[in-house]
Amino acid sequence: MPELPEVETIVRELCESDLIGKKICEVKVFWPRTIAIPNMADFCSQLVNQVIAKISRRGKFIVFTLSKDTLLIHLRMTGKLFFFNKEKKPSAHERLRIRLDDDRYLCYEDQRKFGKWYLLSNPETKLSELGIEPLSKVFTLKALQQLIRKSSQQIKSFLLNQHHIAGLGNIYVDEALWEAKIHPARKTNSLSHTEIVALHRAIPNVLKQGIAHMGTSLGSKLANYFSVSGRRGGNQTQLKVFRREGLPCSRCHNQMIKISLAQRGTHLCPNCQKLESFP
DNA sequence: GTGCCTGTTACCTC
DNA sequence: AGAGGTAACAGGCA
């Protein structure tokens, strides 16, 4: 669920939440497997008394730089962070809770329990696995060309792989490929220069649009994305292809379709996105 | 109730 | 190397 634009929105809200300089007083874990590293007891004892110095994002990770260690949070499908001011019973899906020295609670809910928290003395042990930040200046055309040249995967699988580019998920990959007019099953090594140029533009475009609309919230159910403040994103109304099968393509008016690729629902316009290379 | 679907990732086998 | 399957999970939906 949360891809780069959603995580970025969450991080921005956390940054506006007056957390810098606040101390962690208490940690309660309701679902121990939320903690990836280290074990639960060490995680709790090491976290207590650390002060929040900085909050940032790398790929889909939320990065809390603390006085001693770094806390990484990956929300996977259904992880959510929010605050409340009074101690209360944990909700059905609350997995973890942190009490701060201003008596606020930072709570973590995760319906499907896939999210993971890491407390690391050196965050690079985890973050170095990630590929290029697609919104940073190192995401150059040349960098993308080099990555693509090294691979012969289907472009959709390639883009979903966080080791190449960090932060894209199913929604924004489908959107970027639609914008670049590339069929998701195309092999990376078959892409023309023109197509790589188009993709290099499309990726930041769809991500920036997602951030501008504060993320994509599909449906209204529990599992859907909302930010720290409980606000839903607005990007779902801007999507051009994701979950729009059967609807006319906004570019060519042909009917868009949904196929299965890399075990993921994959949406495309069969007229704009052909399997043959575009010169 | 049954079976299939879902926005992520890691790991396995072929 | 890379495609495909499965698993971790819970709930929505037909």
Side-chain angles (χ1 to χ4, degrees):
Chain A
M1 147 200 269
E3 306 179 33
L4 189 153
E6 291 74 38
V7 178
E8 179 66 25
T9 303
I10 289 165
V11 165
R12 288 182 184 186
E13 288 194 3
L14 290 171
C15 287
E16 290 162 7
S17 300
D18 192 28
L19 286 169
I20 306 305
K22 298 293 185 292
K23 190 164 80 176
I24 294 168
C25 293
E26 188 185 21
V27 182
K28 279 186 181 166
V29 180
F30 307 114
W31 180 256
R33 281 154 74 184
T34 300
I35 316 301
I37 297 174
N39 64 62
M40 188 174 87
D42 290 346
F43 177 88
C44 295
S45 63
Q46 285 173 34
L47 209 45
V48 167
N49 285 329
Q50 295 212 41
V51 175
I52 300 170
K54 186 184 167 193
I55 306 163
S56 54
R57 179 191 61 74
R58 175 80 171 93
K60 298 177 195 172
F61 283 93
I62 301 167
V63 182
F64 280 86
T65 306
L66 307 174
S67 41
K68 188 164 166 288
D69 299 314
T70 302
L71 176 66
L72 303 181
I73 303 174
H74 198 302
L75 302 171
R76 294 280 191 108
M77 305 274 274
T78 53
K80 290 174 184 67
L81 291 171
F82 56 94
F83 293 100
F84 56 78
N85 296 314
K86 272 211 172 94
E87 172 108 55
K88 62 174 183 183
K89 268 204 318 209
S91 66
H93 302 294
E94 192 173 336
R95 309 304 178 200
L96 199 151
R97 173 184 296 192
I98 286 172
R99 182 165 61 86
L100 300 166
D101 62 354
D102 60 3
D103 286 330
R104 268 187 301 175
Y105 295 85
L106 177 59
C107 299
Y108 173 68
E109 271 185 6
D110 186 6
Q111 183 196 110
R112 289 179 71 177
K113 300 178 175 172
F114 291 166
K116 292 285 178 237
W117 291 44
Y118 306 76
L119 186 62
L120 304 167
S121 53
N122 176 11
E124 283 308 307
T125 56
K126 189 73 193 164
L127 297 181
S128 62
E129 296 171 5
L130 297 177
I132 298 183
E133 274 297 315
L135 295 181
S136 76
K137 59 179 185 294
V138 298
F139 183 64
T140 59
L141 176 60
K142 201 171 188 175
L144 182 63
Q145 282 172 326
Q146 282 177 358
L147 283 172
I148 282 180
R149 204 181 305 138
K150 280 192 292 188
S151 162
S152 56
Q153 280 182 294
Q154 293 175 323
I155 187 64
K156 171 140 186 175
S157 300
F158 173 88
L159 294 174
L160 285 171
N161 188 333
Q162 303 298 302
H163 299 117
H164 301 141
I165 300 169
L168 293 169
N170 209 29
I171 298 174
Y172 294 95
V173 165
D174 281 6
E175 291 294 313
L177 290 173
W178 178 87
E179 183 173 322
K181 300 187 184 177
I182 297 170
H183 192 291
R186 288 279 305 283
K187 298 280 187 174
T188 47
N189 54 12
S190 81
L191 296 179
S192 70
H193 178 73
T194 312
E195 287 170 329
I196 298 174
V197 170
L199 186 59
H200 177 253
R201 288 173 54 95
I203 289 169
N205 278 353
V206 299
L207 294 175
K208 283 179 189 164
Q209 185 201 277
I211 293 170
H213 291 89
M214 296 186 297
T216 302
S217 294
L218 297 159
S220 56
K221 297 295 185 294
L222 196 64
N224 300 122
Y225 160 77
F226 58 81
S227 63
V228 185
S229 59
R231 212 162 37 182
R232 299 181 77 236
N235 198 237
Q236 55 280 7
T237 63
Q238 309 297 314
L239 299 176
K240 299 291 199 299
V241 64
F242 190 85
R243 293 223 181 142
R244 294 180 57 80
E245 64 269 27
L247 295 170
C249 171
S250 59
R251 207 163 36 203
C252 75
H253 311 296
N254 265 62
Q255 207 176 77
M256 298 187 288
I257 60 169
K258 180 180 179 184
I259 62 173
S260 179
L261 211 79
Q263 279 87 246
R264 316 294 296 274
T266 298
H267 311 76
L268 66 135
C269 169
N271 186 49
C272 292
Q273 298 165 271
K274 296 226 159 74
L275 266 173
E276 310 88 69
S277 175
F278 190 80

